[in-house]
Amino acid sequence: MVVIPYLLLLTLFVPCREAAGQLLSPGKLSTPHGELEGLLKCQSCHELRKPGASNSKCLECHKPLRNRMDERRGYHATVAAKACSSCHSEHRGRDVPLTELDTIRFDHTQTGFTLVARHAEATCRECHQVDFITALDVRSYKGKHGSLDRTMLGLGTACTTCHDRDDPHTNQFAERGCEDCHSEFSWEQAERFDHNRTRYRLTGRHLRTECADCHKATRTRDGKLSIHFAPLKFAGCESCHRDEHEGSLGANCTRCHTARGWHRVQRSAVEDRFDHSNTEFPLAGKHANLECSACHVKSDRHEMLLRITVEPATRQFAYPLPVADACTSCHLDYHRRAFVKTSGGSLCDNCHNEQGWDPALYDVKRHNSDAAFTLRGAHLATPCTECHPAPDEGKEAEQFRISEDNCGSCHENEDPHRSQFSSSACNDCHDSRAFTIEDFDHDSTRYALDGAHQEVPCISCHQQERDADGLTFQRYRPLGTGCRDCHAGETGRG
């Protein structure tokens, strides 16, 4: 037969099996498959009478890859129908890589991990590093064959696989995935985070508060920067906010304030529950019945006898603080300093209190000690306004200033004598107990009473007349002193 000479001829030129394999092989195997070199090892990858490498034989060795294809996950599961050699060609030499990956056209979505945003900009080896391989079967298999640094398999898909060193939370959210709050578009902005899913729901001004205002950055023991997110104290407002009232209004800020802003105070809290006695200005008397807005105004207010001046730093408050050092902080001096020289000066509370301006606390004792006119007799029971009537506008200072302390200062218009005694003082005849004269000494006049005249009633001689205005008055003088002046109509008896 012809076959025998050819085989003999072959043995003459091929001294060993390895050389025979090279003679029949298209070329040397790559370094990872170098141990399969040789004529007797061809069937490790090839099946008889079938061209190319066998997919099943490839997967017999590459078990981690076979497992993923069986589980229908990863890129190779999407190309299971293709021949392995269509992407991984062999026999091209020791240093030729088995995989010629077109990194520009490769569709990473087919791996089950879509690249977006920053990930799409990264190079393959920025992510596919030995340190980031988490699959134990891959680490074992590739490590055994010395190709752990060349594989694309086994990479973890959790963010912490690659970004564990970048975690600013230092395991505060170990049970949560980064993607619960962050996306590939921005790590700094936790755009997927919803604070309302936490135990502290954000409302009002808290919605506009920067995260860093509540969640401070600190250094761990190893010097790593960590932002404190949990656990965070929030049982009360004082956990984050300083108590401006220094405990005087209790610990529950929400009784009066809301998250809309500290300067916004709930009207119901102020009107129904707010205890003004806890402030520096307890409300009493008439003040207790005032509307809050009567004193807490947005800007200074001046009207009639009222003057409200607001503390400049509190103008933006819901209830601006009025200056309230003394009564005159809000109330103008109605008396226009008429009492500035009296004991205590012109302070309102020397004579008045919150129960009302009237009646005044300026009593008889104060009047007799401070005023020039001492009250006696009927004056003690005379209402103040009888002597100090309400003045015309602008003349309030004159109401309590009496220029003279004689009777005529007040009783000039009440003179029943029609100026018959203009040269005499009232108290020459009268005293302040009563204006009636109980014991007038007629001998002090030009006409001394004697005899029967001493028993005659005054009205018999001092009769009533009418003046030019038709008003009745008692005639005291001038009167004649002769007998006929009074007895002219009487006839003598014989």
Side-chain angles (χ1 to χ4, degrees):
M1 295 178 65
V2 181
V3 177
I4 293 176
Y6 279 106
L7 292 175
L8 291 174
L9 181 62
L10 183 60
T11 58
L12 292 174
F13 290 97
V14 182
C16 62
R17 294 175 180 174
E18 287 75 10
Q22 290 300 323
L23 182 63
L24 296 176
S25 173
K28 283 185 174 293
L29 294 174
S30 62
T31 299
H33 289 158
E35 61 183 13
L36 300 177
E37 199 78 65
L39 184 62
L40 298 181
K41 296 181 180 179
C42 296
Q43 292 185 7
S44 297
C45 299
H46 299 278
E47 295 181 7
L48 293 175
R49 293 184 295 278
K50 291 184 178 180
S54 169
N55 280 10
S56 61
K57 287 184 176 293
C58 290
L59 295 177
E60 284 180 8
C61 287
H62 295 277
K63 292 180 180 179
L65 185 58
R66 182 189 63 191
N67 293 338
R68 282 158 177 74
M69 294 178 68
D70 290 343
E71 295 171 0
R72 297 179 181 276
R73 62 187 178 94
Y75 170 74
H76 289 87
T78 67
V79 293
K82 297 178 65 175
C84 298
S85 58
S86 63
C87 295
H88 307 284
S89 59
E90 261 292 4
H91 297 289
R92 296 190 299 164
R94 285 282 191 263
D95 298 327
V96 178
L98 278 173
T99 303
E100 294 183 359
L101 183 64
D102 186 350
T103 58
I104 297 178
R105 298 181 181 180
F106 181 73
D107 184 6
H108 208 283
T109 303
Q110 293 180 304
T111 67
F113 190 90
T114 303
L115 300 181
V116 296
R118 299 281 292 277
H119 286 157
E121 300 172 1
T123 63
C124 300
R125 284 303 173 189
E126 283 187 74
C127 298
H128 292 279
Q129 300 181 31
V130 174
D131 292 342
F132 298 159
I133 297 175
T134 60
L136 297 179
D137 58 342
V138 173
R139 296 192 71 89
S140 175
Y141 179 84
K142 293 295 183 179
K144 179 180 178 181
H145 292 86
S147 58
L148 194 60
D149 60 341
R150 294 193 299 274
T151 186
M152 295 289 186
L153 292 179
L155 200 68
T157 57
C159 301
T160 51
T161 299
C162 302
H163 301 287
D164 183 54
R165 295 178 182 177
D166 303 327
D167 179 15
H169 308 313
T170 56
N171 295 322
Q172 295 178 75
F173 303 106
E175 75 285 356
R176 306 289 295 272
C178 303
E179 65 276 6
D180 286 351
C181 302
H182 303 276
S183 73
E184 298 89 337
F185 294 94
S186 173
W187 288 111
E188 291 78 11
Q189 302 298 326
E191 55 193 37
R192 293 177 180 170
F193 176 71
D194 182 3
H195 211 290
N196 290 337
R197 292 187 299 169
T198 70
R199 291 184 300 143
Y200 190 82
R201 183 182 180 89
L202 297 182
T203 58
R205 294 287 291 276
H206 287 153
L207 290 169
R208 301 195 298 274
T209 302
E210 293 293 332
C211 303
D213 289 342
C214 299
H215 302 283
K216 306 295 183 180
T218 57
R219 294 283 180 183
T220 59
R221 291 182 178 179
D222 57 1
K224 187 176 181 179
L225 189 66
S226 174
I227 301 176
H228 190 194
F229 287 96
L232 199 66
K233 294 181 179 180
F234 59 88
C237 302
E238 69 280 0
S239 298
C240 299
H241 302 281
R242 185 173 67 86
D243 181 7
E244 296 290 346
H245 307 298
E246 299 179 350
S248 62
L249 300 182
N252 186 7
C253 303
T254 57
R255 289 179 56 199
C256 302
H257 301 277
T258 71
R260 291 182 299 164
W262 291 114
H263 300 154
R264 293 178 176 269
V265 180
Q266 297 183 78
R267 183 174 294 277
S268 59
V270 175
E271 295 178 349
D272 299 336
R273 293 180 294 170
F274 182 74
D275 186 359
H276 214 286
S277 61
N278 290 321
T279 70
E280 296 179 359
F281 194 89
L283 299 181
K286 295 290 187 179
H287 285 154
N289 298 323
L290 292 174
E291 292 289 337
C292 302
S293 58
C295 300
H296 297 281
V297 295
K298 289 293 182 181
S299 59
D300 296 347
R301 189 176 76 197
H302 294 250
E303 53 184 53
M304 296 187 68
L305 296 176
L306 188 67
R307 176 184 59 197
I308 304 294
T309 304
V310 180
E311 294 281 2
T314 69
R315 291 186 188 277
Q316 74 277 19
F317 290 5
Y319 289 85
L321 300 180
V323 176
D325 300 327
C327 301
T328 50
S329 296
C330 298
H331 301 282
L332 297 178
D333 183 4
Y334 171 82
H335 306 301
R336 301 180 184 272
R337 300 177 58 81
F339 293 94
V340 68
K341 294 183 179 181
T342 62
S343 58
S346 58
L347 294 178
C348 303
D349 52 7
N350 281 330
C351 302
H352 308 277
N353 61 23
E354 298 95 335
Q355 303 304 321
W357 294 113
D358 295 319
L361 302 180
Y362 190 93
D363 56 11
V364 172
K365 183 178 180 180
R366 285 278 304 276
H367 196 287
N368 289 346
S369 63
D370 293 349
F373 187 83
T374 302
L375 299 179
R376 298 185 180 89
H379 284 147
L380 292 172
T382 302
C384 302
T385 53
E386 290 294 320
C387 297
H388 304 285
D392 295 332
E393 185 176 353
K395 296 183 178 181
E396 289 82 6
E398 300 176 8
Q399 180 179 7
F400 296 96
R401 292 176 181 172
I402 298 177
S403 58
E404 300 178 12
D405 60 356
N406 56 53
C407 303
S409 299
C410 296
H411 302 286
E412 180 180 8
N413 295 331
E414 302 172 9
D415 179 13
H417 306 308
R418 299 297 185 272
S419 302
Q420 297 176 74
F421 302 102
S422 57
S423 60
S424 301
C426 299
N427 53 9
D428 287 348
C429 301
H430 305 277
D431 61 34
S432 57
R433 291 177 300 173
F435 287 115
T436 57
I437 301 175
E438 296 181 0
D439 188 19
F440 179 72
D441 183 8
H442 213 285
D443 292 344
S444 62
T445 69
R446 292 183 305 124
Y447 190 81
L449 298 181
D450 58 0
H453 286 157
Q454 294 181 356
E455 305 299 328
V456 176
C458 301
I459 192 66
S460 296
C461 298
H462 302 286
Q463 298 179 358
Q464 290 185 345
E465 298 181 11
R466 291 185 180 276
D467 61 14
D469 297 325
L471 298 177
T472 301
F473 70 96
Q474 204 85 13
R475 169 62 70 181
Y476 288 95
R477 64 181 181 181
L479 284 180
T481 59
C483 297
R484 289 185 177 276
D485 292 328
C486 293
H487 303 285
E490 298 179 6
T491 58
R493 297 178 180 178

